[in-house]
Amino acid sequence: MSTTVPSTGAAGDHRAISAAALIAIYMQAVNISIPNAALPHIQATLSMANDEVGWVFSSYIAASAVTMSITQWLAGRYGRKAVYQAALAIFTFGLVLDTLATTSIQFVLARILQGAASGPLAPLSLAILLEVTPARHARMSLASTVCSLLGISTGPAIGGWLSEYYGWASIFYVSLPMTAFIFMTMASLLSEKRAERSQPFDFFGLTTFSVGMIGLQMLLDRGERLEWFASTEIWAEAVASVLGFLSLQRARC
């Protein structure tokens, strides 16, 4: 990829961009696990059955994995900054829809939208970090990993405390100030960057990867609740996953 607009040179701007990128990585990770401790409150409000609980997490992770796989193509075609800001805007919209959901289906659909938007955030944030700190790649890679792990590990504690004292909707509102800071920082300081020549989009590869990944994620997430291969659903998810990955592998050969 080649830069179409010169990179920001001020050290202060680079520090602000780095901070925003690290916060984005943390925010993307914390929203995976933050509903964990709040599930009893969410279940009671939305009348969510026990076998629907797994969709809260698997929908977010599966959607994130699918969109993450096309992040490079999106950034090359439409520009890194444009894709990053669009992902932030959709992620924020997903957060709001989470709080407005009145049924379990609405909540899961909002989580799918939120997860799909979160997919490009982590890889683009890391790419931005490495670009603005060319002499500290190892340190920035470590910092991004720490932020991701910290987000996943602290999510349940934060979600449990917020839902207990401020209601379960507050676990999503807490991310709104972070998205606002990241969006404004990147909008004002980040330069645009895109590929000189857009690569062709592999629709078949995306479809087979999506089927394989979603099937595997659903199998792992819902297997224990449904007694694994004693369930027809688990068999269907396993077959879909195997066929998806096999088709993808054959297409690459």
Side-chain angles (χ1 to χ4, degrees):
M1 298 177 71
S2 62
T3 306
T4 58
V5 180
S7 298
T8 306
D13 292 350
H14 286 176
R15 285 194 291 268
I17 292 174
S18 298
L22 289 172
I23 292 173
I25 292 172
Y26 174 81
M27 181 185 69
Q28 187 266 350
V30 78
N31 274 275
I32 297 174
S33 60
I34 201 169
N36 196 349
L39 278 178
H41 303 279
I42 297 174
Q43 281 186 275
T45 303
L46 303 181
S47 301
M48 185 178 292
N50 290 331
D51 63 345
E52 296 176 327
V53 171
W55 292 93
V56 174
F57 305 100
S58 57
S59 58
Y60 183 98
I61 297 172
S64 177
V66 171
T67 55
M68 188 181 296
S69 67
I70 61 173
T71 297
Q72 183 178 4
W73 179 83
L74 288 172
R77 177 70 181 272
Y78 301 105
R80 174 188 62 183
K81 183 176 180 177
V83 172
Y84 198 89
Q85 290 181 291
L88 280 172
I90 297 172
F91 186 85
T92 303
F93 185 55
L95 289 171
V96 175
L97 290 181
D98 283 329
T99 66
L100 297 178
T102 56
T103 66
S104 59
I105 294 177
Q106 292 176 355
F107 186 77
V108 170
L109 290 176
R111 288 286 287 176
I112 292 174
L113 181 65
Q114 188 186 358
S118 75
L121 291 180
L124 287 179
S125 295
L126 180 57
I128 292 168
L129 275 174
L130 298 180
E131 180 181 300
V132 299
T133 56
R136 297 186 293 174
H137 280 187
R139 184 179 299 179
M140 288 298 102
S141 297
L142 176 61
S144 67
T145 301
V146 170
C147 285
S148 182
L149 294 176
L150 188 64
I152 295 174
S153 61
T154 59
I158 296 173
W161 182 79
L162 287 173
S163 61
E164 183 68 26
Y165 292 101
Y166 300 102
W168 66 265
S170 62
I171 68 177
F172 301 106
Y173 287 135
V174 74
S175 294
L176 294 180
M178 289 188 282
T179 60
F181 170 75
I182 298 165
F183 189 92
M184 290 187 293
T185 300
M186 296 301 185
S188 59
L189 301 178
L190 183 66
S191 60
E192 186 57 285
K193 183 178 182 181
R194 67 182 62 175
E196 292 181 352
R197 182 184 304 173
S198 179
Q199 297 295 322
F201 187 73
D202 186 2
F203 286 100
F204 181 78
L206 175 63
T207 301
T208 53
F209 174 78
S210 300
V211 171
M213 179 59 67
I214 292 173
L216 178 61
Q217 177 61 40
M218 298 305 300
L219 184 153
L220 295 176
D221 192 75
R222 294 175 59 79
E224 185 175 357
R225 296 183 180 88
L226 301 180
E227 298 183 2
W228 296 103
F229 290 99
S231 168
T232 304
E233 178 187 326
I234 297 301
W235 273 105
E237 290 162 355
V239 171
S241 179
V242 171
L243 290 178
F245 286 128
L246 282 178
S247 299
L248 178 63
Q249 182 63 30
R250 290 184 178 180
R252 293 292 183 266
C253 294

